[in-house]
Every structure is written in structure tokens, then in C-alpha cells.
Amino acid sequence: MKKTVHPYRTVLLLGNKKRHGVPEVLEKLVPQIAELYDIVDTDYSGTRDMSKIKVDFAIVFGGDGSLIRAFHQLGPNQVPLLAVHLGSLGFLSSTSSEELIPLLKRPDFSEFSIRHQILLECSLFRKRSQLTPENRKALDLPDQGEGDPDEEFCISKRLVVNEVALRGGSPFQILKIELLVDGDSVTTYHGDGLIISTPVGSTAHCLSAGGPILRKDLNAVVICPLNPHTLSNRPVIDGASREYELRVRNPNVFVVIDGEVDTTIGPGDRVLINQAPFTCKMIRIPGKSYYRSIREKLGWGGCIEGMENKVNR
């Protein structure tokens, strides 16, 4: 009888070894994982580039921040991820450290469905006349060169997992942010800032700002103003395949991507946000539904019909 070869044979281990409890879990579980799969590489700093590595899947140890860093590390090389919750909220996580080894031993583990989640790309364009010395050096342009002063250069391009947020810096004042969708002018927001969020990010900063919750597998984004000065400016849901352009009229506006400041922008700069040509992939654990996660992680109250008696016992 021909022996069945498990489709998943190689694994990458990622996470945050500085987080409390992670080193102890790794010490216990890594030898057991090595008995089941070939561990191709490990990185517990969240800093190494994993965009070239070839593995069947990856396991991420830590909280939601560790998982987001793993998406960034993989870049266009998004392999299926299994997230082990070792953080505080763990809304994006798949399983616990106690459940991990039994899951990996299941003969149908490689047949678990994969949830594809959209990613965005954020590009910043700046005119030649406004380039800083650092910009010119990165672009290999002369300090004082000829050329059209209005010619634009892409000075930054970043992957976005959760959101792009424009926030104000000193001098602190109401921000004026113009939004264009597919080149069509929408409005100019007046307030503390603006968030363009993925469905994954809809339960992060966007949720705190009053935005709606989107299923993680939707092909959509949330446009969420921060403390808008106009009451009619409410969060809007639109398609992820559109191009979103942001322009500011204030100096020293921070572009914050997934919680980290990417750069500052000012009048004349353009921020373009597009859907990435690839998705991130999460291994779905049978029995752990979307709304179950919502109830458990976000503390939704109320009862499910048919369960009142169990709750009241």
C-alpha cells in the first residue's frame, strides 16, 4: 500500500520572543513541531525579510502585532499562516498554545480551508521641487539638478495590513484632507485625521474611531474620519479595487501605517492607496467561526437563540 505523504512538510516559525511567556512556549513546543515538520527557518525578532523563503506554511507566536509584522516580513510571498495567541486580545489569532500540537497532528490539517484577506499598498509621491536631501539620495538624484520642478517621484511604498492613517503633528490644528476616489473628488475632511482601513483593520484603530466592523474576507475598505468637524462626515465603505488619493493642506502631517509612522507629508504631496496584487492567507480552524470570535474577543453581550437556558443555569 502506498504511503500518503502529508502535503504540508515545511514550516517557518515567526513571533515576538520579547513578549512575556513566548520564550517558555517556544522552548516547549518547537521540539514537538520539529518531530512533525521540517523547520526551514525561524525569526523571533520580527525584522528579517522573509519574502524569498520557500515553505508550505508558517506559525506565528505572539499577539496581533506579531501577526501583522509577519505579514510585512513575507511581503509578496504570503504563505498560509497559523497564529498562536500569546497576546492580550488576539483577535486575529487562530489557536492557543495548548491546541497547537493536536491541530498539527490531525491528518486533515493540510485540508483546512484558507481565508484570503486583502492587503493594501500605500505610495507617497512628492514633487521634485519639494524633495528633501534624504529623498534625493534615496532616488539617486543630484542635490541641485535640472528637471521639471513639478515632476513627481515615489519616495515611499509600503504594504498595509490594518490601515493608513493621516494624523496631525505640531503645530496642532484642524487637518484639511482632500479625498479622491478613482480620480473623482469626494470631499475635503476637516478634523483630527482620516483612516483608510482594510477589513482586518476594521476591528483596530478604525473601530475605536466609530467605524463599522467588516468581515475579514470582504473586498472592501472603510474610510473613517477622526473627529470630523462636520457632523455629516460619517464612515463610508467602498470597494478595495478602487484607487484612493489623499492630499493635505497642512504641514507636518504624519502618515501612519499599521501603527508605525512612515513619514511626514505636506501640501503638494500625494498619498495613493491601492489594493495589493496578492492577499494574506490565514489557516481556518474548524469550529471557530467569525461571529464566535467577535463575541469572545469584543465581548458582545446578549444570548443566541436556543442557548438562554444554558446561560441561565
Side-chain angles (χ1 to χ4, degrees):
M1 182 175 179
K2 186 177 180 181
K3 184 178 179 180
T4 301
V5 178
H6 200 293
Y8 282 169
R9 289 178 290 176
T10 58
V11 64
L12 168 67
L13 303 184
L14 302 171
N16 182 5
K17 207 168 186 177
K18 294 182 179 180
R19 178 177 284 276
H20 176 72
V22 173
E24 293 78 7
V25 169
L26 291 173
E27 183 179 4
K28 176 184 177 181
L29 295 184
V30 170
Q32 298 180 60
I33 295 171
E35 293 178 358
L36 301 170
Y37 302 95
D38 178 17
I39 301 175
V40 175
D41 204 347
T42 64
D43 177 44
Y44 305 125
S45 66
T47 59
R48 288 178 52 200
D49 182 0
M50 294 296 177
S51 61
K52 303 295 183 183
I53 196 166
K54 295 186 180 300
V55 291
D56 293 325
F57 74 108
I59 303 174
V60 183
F61 297 88
D64 289 346
S66 300
L67 185 58
I68 291 171
R69 282 192 293 274
F71 291 138
H72 282 278
Q73 286 181 269
L74 290 167
N77 181 35
Q78 295 290 326
V79 300
L81 291 184
L82 185 64
V84 180
H85 174 219
L86 296 171
S88 54
L89 180 60
F91 187 77
L92 303 179
S93 299
S94 307
T95 188
S96 67
S97 57
E98 293 79 13
E99 297 171 325
L100 177 63
I101 299 303
L103 277 174
L104 296 179
K105 287 182 176 180
R106 285 182 55 163
D108 62 342
F109 172 62
S110 64
E111 299 172 6
F112 289 179
S113 62
I114 304 296
R115 182 179 65 241
H116 290 260
Q117 302 170 175
I118 69 162
L119 295 167
L120 301 176
E121 289 181 333
C122 178
S123 303
L124 172 59
F125 289 86
R126 179 165 291 165
K127 294 179 180 179
R128 180 189 291 269
S129 60
Q130 296 176 312
L131 293 175
T132 66
E134 292 77 13
N135 296 155
R136 291 180 177 276
K137 183 177 180 181
L139 294 168
D140 197 24
L141 294 174
D143 292 338
Q144 299 293 333
E146 297 181 357
D148 183 356
D150 290 330
E151 181 183 4
E152 287 187 323
F153 295 88
C154 181
I155 64 170
S156 174
K157 187 173 185 178
R158 291 279 305 278
L159 188 67
V160 181
V161 180
N162 270 356
E163 77 277 314
V164 178
L166 298 192
R167 302 295 306 273
S170 179
F172 298 101
Q173 56 187 320
I174 292 178
L175 297 187
K176 298 177 182 179
I177 304 171
E178 182 182 3
L179 169 67
L180 295 90
V181 178
D182 287 342
D184 210 8
S185 182
V186 177
T187 188
T188 297
Y189 292 96
H190 294 70
D192 288 346
L194 186 69
I195 297 173
I196 305 291
S197 168
T198 66
V200 171
S202 70
T203 52
H205 189 185
C206 186
L207 178 65
S208 301
I213 296 174
L214 272 61
R215 289 190 70 106
K216 298 187 187 76
D217 55 0
L218 287 178
N219 192 47
V221 300
V222 181
I223 305 166
C224 185
L226 296 173
N227 299 325
H229 195 258
T230 303
L231 295 179
S232 61
N233 285 152
R234 299 292 93 191
V236 174
I237 300 172
D238 205 339
S241 60
R242 301 187 183 281
E243 179 178 78
Y244 298 88
E245 180 178 342
L246 305 177
R247 303 174 182 175
V248 299
R249 301 180 186 177
N250 309 71
N252 301 322
V253 176
F254 292 102
V255 180
V256 184
I257 298 176
D258 292 340
E260 296 185 358
V261 176
D262 180 55
T263 187
T264 58
I265 60 174
D269 292 332
R270 296 191 307 130
V271 177
L272 293 185
I273 301 168
N274 296 277
Q275 185 173 355
F278 48 86
T279 61
C280 55
K281 306 169 186 176
M282 292 295 298
I283 298 174
R284 301 181 65 177
I285 308 301
K288 295 194 175 182
S289 68
Y290 171 74
Y291 284 111
R292 176 182 172 181
S293 296
I294 290 284
R295 292 195 305 271
E296 293 177 350
K297 304 300 184 180
L298 298 185
W300 275 12
C303 294
I304 302 174
E305 187 176 353
M307 296 186 65
E308 293 89 343
N309 294 335
K310 294 181 181 180
V311 173
N312 293 326
R313 284 176 184 172

